[in-house]
Amino acid sequence: MDYTAKLDAALNRLHDEGRYRTFIDIERTKGQFPHAMWRKPDGSQSPVTVWCGNDYLGMGQNPVVLDAMHSALDATGAGSGGTRNISGTTVYHKQLEEELADLHQKEAALLFTSAYIANDATLSTLPKLFPGLIIYSDELNHASMIEGVRRNGGAKRIFKHNDLADLRAKLEVDDPAAPKLIAFESVYSMDGDVAPISELCDLAEEFGALTYLDEVHAVGMYGPKGAGIAARDGVMQRLDIINGTLAKAYGVMGGYIAASDRMCDAIRSYAPGFIFTTSLPPSVAAGAAASVSFLKTAAGDALREQHQTQATILKLRLKGLGMPIIDHGTHIVPVIVGNPVHTKLLSDMLLEGHGIYVQPINFPTVPRGTERLRFTPSPVHGPREMDALVRAMDELWALCALNRQELSA
């Protein structure tokens, strides 16, 4: 076996399809986000404005968060020193879990190193706790949910995206006595559409199913205190398990579930992804707790309002240019290009000619033919940054149309 040749063939396929992912080396400067420095392959530097980051509210630069992290670092040192079970649980981890349980009005919360791990570990562990469990999963659920459902060894049913009739049909044909769980997201990050959470909870109650909601792209940004779409819609108490992240609106890193005491205790006790993973550094937990606490306040309300305003303005301006955007009323602003080569071309021209960094989104993250640039405006993207982006898109869209015709010929 020529292993190197196999690796080359696999990578060349991505290059040939225009789907090879290029990492842009950027250096954020404290207090300057969304502005950063792009370190080019030749060693030179150039200023860029980041338009595709997940630090949705700029909390990664907030002094409240930084001060909490500095204090914890000075008090405890760098790492946690172990897994949660073996010396890796500190007062900072417990404080963060208490903040998260309070946020979602649940009895408990359980902290993981990422929301990906939280989804994977929880969904793959549930069949151990409920033998014979059938999981009904929305077809557009995140890769972490798909992986957790796939690995659990139990029965699964994939229902059409946000399709209540299809879900009902699948629930009706299964054994009424079998344990069931319906897994879905609140805000789907590629199109920005929202799940019919109340109606999904209705079906869960009718068929005796548990509910599992991923609020990763909503926590901090929607609802009272930033508790998410379920809180905004007044249905948070109907959810059995809520998954969230600390790496997007909260500006730090980590993930969690919020649920009943018994549920969190059972996942804590049975999930390998929790048991055998070194816990987050205390400084990270402290920063995340400070961020969650801050975004529960009136100052958090103001940031959420600014965030929605900026997203609305950008969508209106891009629509005014005739751009094919998807608008479901959330903060996600996808511009559909429809071809991986053309999407990468537009991304490169924005970066190299205008200092605007937005990463191309290609298959398998989105279906073929829906390749896109996904913009994530924030309260720290002001009028100057907005004007520069709109002017650049206006200039380059027509140029890319000509290039698309040439490449298609």
Side-chain angles (χ1 to χ4, degrees):
M1 171 68 73
D2 186 341
Y3 294 103
T4 300
K6 290 292 186 183
L7 293 174
D8 286 341
L11 291 170
N12 285 337
R13 283 197 300 272
L14 296 178
H15 282 290
D16 292 343
E17 295 174 12
R19 295 196 296 118
Y20 181 76
R21 288 182 165 95
T22 301
F23 293 169
I24 306 300
D25 185 3
I26 63 170
E27 182 178 346
R28 289 167 57 136
T29 302
K30 186 175 74 172
Q32 299 300 312
F33 186 75
H35 301 288
M37 293 301 296
W38 169 32
R39 295 184 177 272
K40 300 180 182 181
D42 64 5
S44 63
Q45 297 184 40
S46 181
V48 296
T49 302
V50 178
W51 274 97
C52 57
N54 284 335
D55 188 356
Y56 289 134
L57 301 178
M59 290 299 294
Q61 306 286 308
N62 191 296
V64 170
V65 175
L66 301 184
D67 289 347
M69 295 184 73
H70 281 299
S71 295
L73 182 65
D74 291 341
T76 68
S80 68
T83 64
R84 288 293 298 276
N85 185 50
I86 304 176
S87 82
T89 294
T90 70
V91 293
Y92 302 101
H93 296 86
K94 296 304 294 181
Q95 179 189 1
L96 176 53
E97 287 176 337
E98 289 169 3
E99 285 283 1
L100 293 168
D102 173 73
L103 176 70
H104 294 291
Q105 295 299 291
K106 300 297 182 187
E107 292 177 346
L110 191 64
L111 183 62
F112 293 79
T113 51
S114 73
Y116 188 107
I117 298 299
N119 271 334
D120 185 7
T122 303
L123 289 167
S124 63
T125 298
L126 287 171
K128 300 175 186 176
L129 306 174
F130 306 105
L133 179 70
I134 304 171
I135 296 182
Y136 303 80
S137 179
D138 188 290
E139 65 179 345
L140 293 189
N141 277 342
H142 188 264
S144 57
M145 300 175 75
I146 294 170
E147 186 65 14
V149 172
R150 184 189 67 79
R151 287 200 312 107
N152 68 29
K156 63 178 182 293
R157 312 282 187 261
I158 310 303
F159 62 93
K160 296 176 184 177
H161 179 51
N162 281 349
D163 191 326
L164 298 169
D166 188 51
L167 174 58
R168 171 179 285 280
K170 288 175 168 55
L171 288 162
E172 286 177 338
V173 299
D174 282 321
D175 182 358
K180 302 174 179 68
L181 178 139
I182 302 171
F184 51 96
E185 300 184 39
S186 58
V187 177
Y188 288 84
S189 64
M190 288 300 113
D191 285 353
D193 57 330
V194 177
I197 300 176
S198 180
E199 292 83 352
L200 288 164
C201 289
D202 290 342
L203 283 175
E205 291 175 6
E206 181 180 347
F207 289 91
L210 296 170
T211 48
Y212 187 104
L213 173 63
D214 180 313
E215 287 261 37
V216 160
H217 288 275
V219 288
M221 295 176 288
Y222 297 89
K225 300 183 179 181
I229 295 291
R232 183 198 71 178
D233 294 351
V235 295
M236 190 165 59
Q237 74 284 357
R238 302 179 68 187
L239 279 305
D240 294 294
I241 304 173
I242 295 175
N243 167 277
T245 187
L246 302 163
K248 292 182 170 59
Y250 294 116
V252 193
M253 71 169 292
Y256 63 90
I257 61 168
S260 68
D261 276 327
R262 282 190 176 87
M263 182 68 77
C264 288
D265 193 18
I267 298 299
R268 178 190 69 85
S269 301
Y270 280 89
F274 178 86
I275 296 169
F276 298 106
T277 300
T278 299
S279 64
L280 288 172
S283 58
V284 172
S291 186
V292 173
S293 178
F294 178 86
L295 287 178
K296 291 178 180 178
T297 67
D301 292 336
L303 275 179
R304 282 185 281 276
E305 184 176 348
Q306 293 171 31
H307 184 221
Q308 291 299 314
T309 297
Q310 293 302 88
T312 299
I313 291 171
L314 180 58
K315 285 184 283 190
L316 285 172
R317 295 188 68 177
L318 293 178
K319 284 179 183 178
L321 296 175
M323 301 281 173
I325 77 166
I326 300 174
D327 184 4
H328 288 288
T330 60
H331 62 284
I332 305 295
V333 186
V335 178
I336 304 300
V337 182
N339 177 286
V341 175
H342 305 156
T343 307
K344 181 65 164 61
L345 176 65
L346 184 55
S347 172
D348 288 345
M349 289 193 296
L350 284 167
L351 180 65
E352 294 164 6
H354 298 270
I356 291 170
Y357 173 40
V358 56
Q359 191 74 3
I361 307 292
N362 295 322
F363 178 84
T365 306
V366 295
R368 296 182 192 273
T370 70
E371 292 83 2
R372 67 198 62 185
L373 299 178
R374 190 188 68 142
F375 297 96
T376 53
S378 76
V380 293
H381 288 92
R384 180 165 61 91
E385 290 81 10
M386 187 85 70
D387 288 344
L389 172 62
V390 172
R391 282 196 302 267
M393 286 294 288
D394 191 21
E395 173 187 329
L396 296 178
W397 193 257
L399 180 59
C400 280
L402 292 175
N403 285 324
R404 286 197 294 271
Q405 292 172 7
E406 293 173 1
L407 289 170
S408 301

